[in-house]
Amino acid sequence: MSLCVLENVKKRYLIGEEEVEVLKGINLQVEQGEFIAIMGPSGSGKTTLMNILGCLDVPSSGSYVIAGKEVTQLNDDELSVLRNEHIGFVFQNFYLLSYATVLENVLLPTLYMERSRDGFTRKRAKEILGLVGLSDRAKFKPNQLSGGQQQRVAIARALINDPDLILADEPTGQLDSKTASEIMDLLSKMNQRGKTVVVITHDANTAAYARRTVRILDGLIVD
Amino acid sequence: MGRLGRILRQSVMAVRAFKLRTLFCVVSVALGISSITIIVAATEGAFKKAFDMVALFGPDALLVVSGSDEARAIGKREKTLTLEDVQAVKEAFPGAYVVAPSTSMGDVTVAYRDKKYQSLVVGSTSDFSRAWTWPVVEGSDFTDADIRGLRNVAILGSHVVEELFAKEDPVGKYLFVKGIPVQVVGVLSDRGTTPTGQNLDNRLIMPISTVMRKMQNERKYISVFRVRFVDQKKLSRYEEEVRLLLRQRHQLPEGVPDDFRIISPKEIIKFLAALTGSLVVFLGIVGVISLVVAGFVLANLFLLSVKERSKEIGIRRSVGARRNDIRLQFLGEAVTLTTIGGLIGFVSAIGGSRLLTLIADFPIHFSWKAFAVGLLLSWFVGIAFGLQPASRAANLEPIEAIRT
Ligand SMILES: Nc1ncnc2c1ncn2[C@@H]1O[C@H](COP(=O)(O)OP(=O)(O)OP(=O)(O)O)[C@@H](O)[C@H]1O
Ligand SMILES: [Mg+2]
């Protein structure tokens, strides 16, 4: 069964008086365990698509089913729960809470779980920090870390709730090529462990890690 | 820890992180809460004091004082009440269990050996202790024979004893009052000072007959008399009846003011309310204004904070925070801040009231009530003024929040 199924998804934004169609009828299936790169020029609608895939936003029309749920039928709270349980985001600018420690940042998604066992989640957070190679940085603040380290924290945060889908929007955009390849290696490793990964990128080197590349142009998937 | 607890811990974390915001909010709330706490404490203090004073005065008692209000106002001490008036009241009110006349002389020199003391000499009947609920702790009260026999005996206030008798037992000793030898028969318990600062323990009580005949050359007029009634609830009615009886006896035509004054527990409370009232009103205005100001400071700083932290809100939403979780967090921050402000306000109110009592003898009483009022108000301010910014944070669309 597919993890994500998009059928004729359109997204329109109102800019002033004018309505602009950013996604013009996307059809896409993401299978469990896939590693997909979404490529396309700036302004083509990649981030918009990712927001919809990640249930941060909903389609203006069309249908999107994730984990068996039709997203257009869900209310705001249900979307939040869906994000919490099924999706992990990795952003270009890391987006860590500056006043929280590395460990607290990693634990952030567990705060909003319905049921959370403190001891268990802390143990799990430490394991995951080990996995991304930051065991000795748990008490640090984000501004005491390098860009690559911050992005690892973000990846650890994306993994903590054991989501089905990891969505990464330009995860290497702020990093030099060596650090970028480390981050992509990490995402590949997660994919090998069974996570479905979708990476949005401009960069062919980054896209090369994926097993499938989807090209988007002006709001439509091409070829 | 449950979800609620986990989110409120985030609130506390943010309160610690945004120090400048915390400082401004806490200080402004503390100012408001401390003046309101002082008001509550002052009101309570006034009530307590009124209660104490009424208890001291006797909740079932009236004090009838010689002289019209006008005469008193210009400092004249005319004596208008007579022993016959006292007798008439005694006969007219079977419900009065004490009717005790008394007369007084200020600044009387009392000497024991080489020591001298300026005392207030009070002439009273054998009912003095009962009339004033003022126990004789050493020796004994007067007997009727002391009164009838115009005996030269005295009961001393505790301060008189301190001043004249260092370590000696005063009972049985002789001292000179206006040159007349008088034997001490008893000592009164400590009574302290009145709210107006008058020392009550500086007096010396002698039989009223002795004082009138031997010291004042007086056979008829007295200064005051006390009446105590069995049925305390009817006191207002008794007061009016005593007034009418005395007016009739003094043959005062209608329209002429009383040539005496009746003091009742009600009047004491009125006096105290007037004393406390103006300060309470002043502090009340200050308190309410500063609390409202604190509320607006809080609301504005929070709106600013919500704007600055929209990315944080977006991040939290993206990892699964619901609108209510965001609202709860920001509301939690506001209430945490105002609670800290309230606690600091309470502590500084205690300090402030110390200062206040240094400047003026002002009854202030801190209790859990003042504390609870302050705490509840600080929560109220936190919720009332924090709700709008918190809701604004909650209503941010996740993608808008994260894009900014
Ligand atoms: N919330 C919004 N309101 C209005 N217009 C929007 C909104 N979000 C995106 N757009 C517009 O939609 C178009 C696609 O934006 P999107 O961010 O998806 O592009 P992108 O492919 O991610 O570009 P980039 O590579 O530069 O990140 C742009 O023209 C953008 O201005
Ligand atoms: Mg983009």
Side-chain angles (χ1 to χ4, degrees), chain A residues 105-178:
Chain A
N105 267 290
V106 172
L107 284 169
L108 202 63
T110 67
L111 302 178
Y112 304 108
M113 285 166 68
E114 273 318 319
R115 259 174 245 96
S116 146
R117 286 174 295 145
D118 279 2
F120 172 74
T121 52
R122 283 185 96 77
K123 195 166 148 262
R124 185 170 154 74
K126 289 197 172 135
E127 269 170 30
I128 291 176
L129 275 177
L131 208 64
V132 301
L134 288 174
S135 291
D136 52 344
R137 297 286 193 276
K139 293 243 155 65
F140 282 49
K141 290 280 171 71
N143 63 6
Q144 296 169 306
L145 301 179
S146 71
Q149 287 171 327
Q150 290 187 50
Q151 198 59 303
R152 288 159 194 265
V153 176
I155 291 172
R157 180 180 67 192
L159 290 169
I160 185 84
N161 275 6
D162 196 21
D164 301 308
L165 179 61
I166 294 178
L167 291 171
D169 191 354
E170 308 270 14
T172 58
Q174 297 285 317
L175 306 173
D176 61 59
S177 58
K178 185 170 165 289

Side-chain angles (χ1 to χ4, degrees), chain A residues 11-16 18 20-23 38-51 57 92 169-170 200-202 216 218-219, chain B residues 399-400 403:
Chain A
K11 183 68 193 180
R12 288 179 289 272
Y13 286 117
L14 210 57
I15 300 175
E18 212 180 332
V20 179
E21 197 165 57
V22 178
L23 299 181
I38 296 178
M39 292 191 78
S42 188
S44 56
K46 302 186 296 297
T47 298
T48 306
L49 178 58
M50 189 196 79
N51 287 341
D57 208 352
Q92 179 174 357
D169 191 354
E170 308 270 14
I200 288 167
T201 185
H202 280 109
I216 180 167
D218 202 16
Chain B
I399 53 161
E400 298 299 330
R403 254 159 45 112

Side-chain angles (χ1 to χ4, degrees), chain A:
Chain A
M1 202 182 86
S2 305
L3 179 59
C4 307
V5 181
L6 290 85
E7 274 170 18
N8 198 25
V9 165
K10 295 183 178 169
K11 183 68 193 180
R12 288 179 289 272
Y13 286 117
L14 210 57
I15 300 175
E17 298 279 280
E18 212 180 332
E19 213 177 34
V20 179
E21 197 165 57
V22 178
L23 299 181
K24 296 177 176 165
I26 299 281
N27 293 294
L28 179 67
Q29 294 200 5
V30 180
E31 305 301 326
Q32 201 87 48
E34 266 200 298
F35 191 160
I36 302 180
I38 296 178
M39 292 191 78
S42 188
S44 56
K46 302 186 296 297
T47 298
T48 306
L49 178 58
M50 189 196 79
N51 287 341
I52 287 174
L53 280 172
C55 304
L56 277 174
D57 208 352
V58 288
S60 305
S61 68
S63 145
Y64 172 36
V65 177
I66 177 167
K69 293 193 183 82
E70 173 57 57
V71 165
T72 50
Q73 308 285 318
L74 301 180
N75 65 26
D76 196 88
D77 280 1
E78 290 164 333
L79 288 175
S80 302
V81 173
L82 203 71
R83 288 195 295 274
N84 186 248
E85 291 176 354
H86 296 284
I87 292 155
F89 287 96
V90 179
F91 299 99
Q92 179 174 357
N93 293 315
F94 324 131
Y95 286 173
L96 302 176
L97 291 189
S98 56
Y99 62 81
T101 64
V102 163
L103 184 63
E104 285 162 346
N105 267 290
V106 172
L107 284 169
L108 202 63
T110 67
L111 302 178
Y112 304 108
M113 285 166 68
E114 273 318 319
R115 259 174 245 96
S116 146
R117 286 174 295 145
D118 279 2
F120 172 74
T121 52
R122 283 185 96 77
K123 195 166 148 262
R124 185 170 154 74
K126 289 197 172 135
E127 269 170 30
I128 291 176
L129 275 177
L131 208 64
V132 301
L134 288 174
S135 291
D136 52 344
R137 297 286 193 276
K139 293 243 155 65
F140 282 49
K141 290 280 171 71
N143 63 6
Q144 296 169 306
L145 301 179
S146 71
Q149 287 171 327
Q150 290 187 50
Q151 198 59 303
R152 288 159 194 265
V153 176
I155 291 172
R157 180 180 67 192
L159 290 169
I160 185 84
N161 275 6
D162 196 21
D164 301 308
L165 179 61
I166 294 178
L167 291 171
D169 191 354
E170 308 270 14
T172 58
Q174 297 285 317
L175 306 173
D176 61 59
S177 58
K178 185 170 165 289
T179 318
S181 63
E182 281 169 21
I183 292 296
M184 290 314 294
D185 283 335
L186 192 55
L187 286 174
S188 300
K189 196 161 101 186
M190 296 310 137
N191 177 244
Q192 278 149 29
R193 293 183 172 217
K195 295 277 168 249
T196 310
V197 179
V198 175
V199 175
I200 288 167
T201 185
H202 280 109
D203 178 27
N205 291 330
T206 299
Y209 284 83
R211 279 182 275 150
R212 172 155 80 106
T213 299
V214 173
R215 289 180 193 280
I216 180 167
L217 194 65
D218 202 16
L220 280 171
I221 289 174
V222 289
D223 65 57

Side-chain angles (χ1 to χ4, degrees), chain B residues 304-323:
Chain B
L304 207 70
S305 185
V306 167
K307 259 194 207 128
E308 275 174 359
R309 289 163 67 192
S310 77
K311 188 145 288 158
E312 170 186 338
I313 295 161
I315 294 168
R316 290 181 185 276
R317 296 282 277 135
S318 77
V319 301
R322 297 171 306 186
R323 291 194 194 282

